[in-house]
Structures are given as C-alpha cells and as structure tokens.
Amino acid sequence: MREIIVGLLVGLGAGAPLFAATRQVPAQYSSIQAALDAAAVGDTVQVAAGTYTQNLSITKSGLIVQGNPGLTVVKGDGSNAVIRCTGVNSCTISGLSIRDGLIGVDVVTAGVSMAECRIEFCLSNISGIGIRAQNSEVQLTDSYLASCGRGIE
C-alpha cells in the first residue's frame, strides 16, 4: 500500500513546481537575462529600481518578472525587441518601464499579462511598435504606451 501512495504523490507533482524561487537582480544576478535563464517554472524575477540596458528573451512558462513602477527601466539597444516572449503559456510582466527598442514587447505564440508597465520611445517615435502579438494573447492592466509610432499590432 505504501508504494501506491508514493507513486500517486510523485505522479501528481510531475511538471508542477514544488517550490517557486525569487531571483533578485542585481543582488543575486548581474543581469535580468541571467536571472531569467536560471529561473524555473513559477519563479519570480524581482528587478530592483535602476536602469538595465539589455534585450530580454523569455522562453519559460509561468515566470513573473517584477520591477518597481516608474523606477525600474529596461532599455533596449534600438535594433530589436526589448522583451521577446516566445512560446510561453503564461508569463507576467509588471512594474517595468520598457523603452528604446525597435519593438517594446514582442509576443510570439505566447500568453502574456502586463500590469503597471510603461512602453515608450520605440524606434525614434516614428515606426516603432509598442507591443506586437503574433498568434498570441496579451492582457494589459494599468499600462501605458507612448511615442511608439505603430502602438499595438
């Protein structure tokens, strides 16, 4: 009887995180991307106030990327998407100012929720895209887009 119970418990936990971790940038990781790469399903990447110049790729479902509204800025290099979410079932991005990318947030075959985010200054305000959703679902709450020529596509 004991073996059956253990087998059921192991089977129920398959694929689900037992313990979600909080990964702190820059206290534990020198970059947001390093924290994202180390994260597991269900983890939170907590980004302290400051400006981080990097383009991010989110490829794991269930992550939460959280900053301080108005104080945590992610700046792209102007040549690509500042944040690209690809193939994730669910991802939450909150409290980030996202700026200076060809595309602010590029969502490809994914489901993303964004709250208290500012997306601005995409490609010199003329032809940049704030949010591009390709075969995806994006939920925006209390977020702001400005100076991104083509807004949401």
Side-chain angles (χ1 to χ4, degrees):
M1 184 68 162
R2 181 178 291 169
E3 292 174 351
I4 293 172
I5 293 172
V6 171
L8 286 174
L9 291 175
V10 170
L12 290 174
L18 294 177
F19 300 100
T22 298
R23 300 177 186 276
Q24 298 180 357
V25 179
Q28 294 175 301
Y29 297 88
S30 60
S31 72
I32 302 168
Q33 189 63 54
L36 290 169
D37 292 344
V41 172
D43 283 359
T44 297
V45 175
Q46 180 68 48
V47 186
T51 299
Y52 302 84
T53 302
Q54 53 192 284
N55 294 57
L56 306 176
S57 177
I58 300 173
T59 58
K60 297 174 186 171
S61 293
L63 296 184
I64 299 168
V65 182
Q66 188 172 36
N68 297 302
L71 300 175
T72 305
V73 178
V74 182
K75 290 181 63 170
D77 62 11
S79 68
N80 215 328
V82 179
I83 299 176
R84 174 168 282 128
C85 301
T86 306
V88 297
N89 293 329
S90 66
C91 174
T92 300
I93 301 169
S94 67
L96 299 181
S97 293
I98 301 160
R99 56 182 302 154
D100 299 335
L102 179 62
I103 302 168
V105 180
D106 194 10
V107 184
V108 182
T109 316
V112 175
S113 296
M114 298 181 68
E116 297 184 271
C117 290
R118 293 180 62 92
I119 302 169
E120 52 195 356
F121 305 115
C122 300
L123 190 64
S124 302
N125 310 335
I126 300 169
S127 61
I129 302 168
I131 298 172
R132 180 171 67 179
Q134 302 173 68
N135 299 317
S136 299
E137 181 177 321
V138 178
Q139 179 181 354
L140 296 173
T141 306
D142 297 328
S143 294
Y144 176 83
L145 276 80
S147 301
C148 294
R150 291 173 26 206
I152 299 173
E153 282 190 357

